[in-house]
Amino acid sequence: MLEARFEPGTMLRNPHLQTVLASSGLRRLLVRRRARAMLATERERIVDAGDGVRLKGVCSEPATPRGLAVLLHGWAGSVDSTYLVEAAHRLWVAGYAVFRLNFRDHGETEHLNPDIFHSCRLDEVVGAVAAIAAEWPGRPVMLAGYSLGGNFALRVALRAPAAGIPLRRVVAVSPLIQPAAGLDAIEEASWLYQRYFMRKWRRSLRRKQALFPDRFALDGMLRLGMRDLTAALVERYTEFPGLSAYLNGYSVAGERLAALQVPTTIVTAKDDPLIPLADFLELELPSCAELWLSPFGGHCGFIRDSRLESWAAEFILERFEAAVTDQDEH
């Protein structure tokens, strides 16, 4: 266990302020302004993720890329999420080709696949990362994710050797570890968090129903709260018998990461209001994995100063650079 070197000013040490600032409109404006040059080069791509699944992403490639970085957003986020754009820009400036990938039904991609998104759809994310990596043969391949994207990144890392994905390093920022505990934490935190996620989720589900009216009948469900809506969707539209089995299906808690073979970095804040610290302390990690803890940072925040820059983007680049250097030395 390592201590993260992140110390914001006193005014930025509140975990809720960190969490809210991370996705604030002002920060979005500042980040996109700083990333103008990268955003001007990005190309939209549809990725064949296998079994007929199509996922959409955007790629930003410098003239001579030193390597490839694939970035995964959190639940209800997208390739345009501020934290993802910021991390992508930092990596692009350092010479990496960056592919930001949307999960199914995120980023207004509900039309691409008839079946609904759920967090156990790992095969298609593994397939997409493999397809993306194959386009840069011989280049170092890195993977990073935030929140639910961090959870997916860790599970992709577990599957990478068998799937033939040559991952050099994986970084998970504020990853969801035990979904059942995460759901409890959201329900116990400020109502603002539930309102934020539910507003985005209901909007996406309405789009899905409008696109596939013969497949989905969601109107009655959309009045339910987060837990009840999740349970209803699981029982009606997935193969899982109930909520508990579903949540357990994408857990990486306890010993589940012990089989990791890919060098992996997990970083989180001790004051994260949405992901319990205890879940991280109970992880059983192999020697190729490291856990970094910061006293401050909230959930996916790590806002450093009045410029609203996030230390997490810098940390991802630092760990990727270390992985490239270590490989080159050997």
Side-chain angles (χ1 to χ4, degrees), residues 22-294:
S23 299
S24 67
L26 176 59
R27 191 168 118 78
R28 175 183 172 85
L29 178 65
L30 292 173
V31 167
R32 294 189 73 84
R33 181 178 297 169
R34 289 191 284 264
R36 281 193 303 259
M38 181 200 75
L39 294 172
T41 70
E42 69 181 25
R43 297 174 290 113
E44 290 189 352
R45 294 283 304 281
I46 302 295
V47 180
D48 180 354
D51 293 328
V53 176
R54 297 181 299 158
L55 300 180
K56 181 179 176 181
V58 292
C59 180
S60 303
E61 185 175 1
T64 308
R66 302 170 52 219
L68 168 68
V70 181
L71 302 183
L72 305 177
H73 59 79
W75 180 47
S78 74
V79 298
D80 292 320
S81 291
T82 300
Y83 52 84
L84 220 63
V85 172
E86 182 179 37
H89 178 241
R90 186 65 64 92
L91 292 162
W92 181 80
V93 168
Y96 290 88
V98 185
F99 198 106
R100 289 142 44 214
L101 179 69
N102 277 312
F103 295 133
R104 177 192 297 239
D105 293 349
H106 287 69
E108 299 189 5
T109 63
E110 292 87 355
H111 61 289
L112 290 179
N113 304 283
D115 291 325
I116 204 166
F117 170 81
H118 62 70
S119 298
C120 292
R121 293 195 183 278
L122 179 60
D123 287 351
E124 63 198 50
V125 179
V126 171
V129 174
I132 295 164
E135 296 187 23
W136 279 269
R139 304 284 188 183
V141 180
M142 316 291 186
L143 176 66
Y146 287 74
S147 194
L148 179 61
N151 171 282
F152 266 99
L154 293 171
R155 287 183 288 149
V156 171
L158 283 169
R159 293 269 297 273
I165 306 173
L167 288 180
R168 187 78 62 86
R169 165 76 64 177
V170 171
V171 178
V173 179
S174 304
L176 178 61
I177 300 298
Q178 185 168 298
L183 180 56
D184 290 342
I186 291 179
E187 291 180 327
E188 293 168 5
S190 169
W191 61 271
L192 287 171
Y193 297 124
Q194 285 200 58
R195 180 180 178 183
Y196 173 81
F197 286 116
M198 292 302 294
R199 177 174 55 84
K200 287 192 165 187
W201 192 18
R202 288 184 178 120
R203 184 186 305 153
S204 175
L205 290 173
R206 290 189 183 99
R207 283 197 293 261
K208 195 74 176 183
Q209 178 171 261
L211 287 161
F212 302 99
D214 296 336
R215 187 178 290 259
F216 299 106
L218 305 174
D219 288 337
M221 291 185 185
L222 296 179
R223 293 190 290 271
L224 299 173
M226 182 177 291
R227 181 180 296 271
D228 290 340
L229 177 55
T230 304
L233 290 172
V234 164
E235 291 171 9
R236 183 175 296 185
Y237 297 113
T238 79
E239 69 276 19
F240 295 94
L243 180 61
S244 179
Y246 165 66
L247 295 175
N248 189 55
Y250 64 105
S251 172
V252 292
E255 77 288 351
R256 297 192 183 197
L257 297 177
L260 279 169
Q261 300 176 44
V262 175
T264 299
T265 297
I266 300 170
V267 60
T268 194
K270 295 178 181 178
D271 64 358
D272 189 325
L274 302 183
I275 312 293
L277 177 61
D279 292 351
F280 294 92
L281 300 179
E282 294 169 0
L283 288 173
E284 297 180 20
L285 299 175
S287 59
C288 66
E290 56 186 14
L291 172 62
W292 292 73
L293 298 179
S294 168

Side-chain angles (χ1 to χ4, degrees), residues 27 34 86 302-305 307-311:
R27 191 168 118 78
R34 289 191 284 264
E86 182 179 37
F302 301 100
I303 306 302
R304 188 167 48 194
D305 50 35
R307 286 170 54 84
L308 301 186
E309 293 179 323
S310 175
W311 168 86

